[in-house]
Amino acid sequence: MTSPKAPITITTPVSVKDNFTYAVNGVEIQLPSLTYLKPGLVRRIRRLGDVDAMYTLLELSLTPAALAALDDMDPDAYHEMLEAWRAHSGISLGES
């Protein structure tokens, strides 16, 4: 006798709706969650490579003061901020 099959469930990716907030040299950086981008932002970056899409997203989302603060960041601190944004958004790089 065979056991009944378990129902098939489709898991929906988790969408984090809250903006990511980070302070850089006294300037507040607010970025949209990477898993909950507005359709207009997605449309603007859809054909870009990863790096161009990220910088376009930053330029479309941040104030001039926030962009200037990012431009002056130490590269290690900048990468830590990007990693925190990714983690906040619920995006995992997976295992290699």
Side-chain angles (χ1 to χ4, degrees):
M1 183 169 193
T2 61
S3 60
K5 292 183 179 180
I8 297 174
T9 57
I10 298 173
T11 56
T12 303
V14 175
S15 291
V16 176
K17 294 181 180 184
D18 298 330
N19 283 343
F20 170 71
T21 304
Y22 200 84
V24 176
N25 295 327
V27 177
E28 183 177 84
I29 307 294
Q30 277 208 3
L31 292 164
S33 169
L34 293 167
T35 57
Y36 201 73
L37 294 174
K38 290 184 178 181
L41 285 175
V42 174
R43 180 180 53 77
R44 289 179 181 147
I45 65 174
R46 73 186 182 276
R47 292 191 179 112
L48 301 175
D50 290 345
V51 173
D52 284 335
M54 181 194 63
Y55 283 106
T56 300
L57 185 56
L58 291 173
E59 290 168 347
L60 291 172
S61 301
L62 295 175
T63 65
L67 279 172
L70 288 185
D71 287 347
D72 289 337
M73 285 181 80
D74 173 79
D76 291 335
Y78 177 72
H79 290 289
E80 287 175 19
M81 191 263 326
L82 292 178
E83 176 62 22
W85 182 23
R86 182 200 61 75
H88 165 84
S89 299
I91 296 175
S92 172
L93 295 178
E95 295 182 26
S96 56

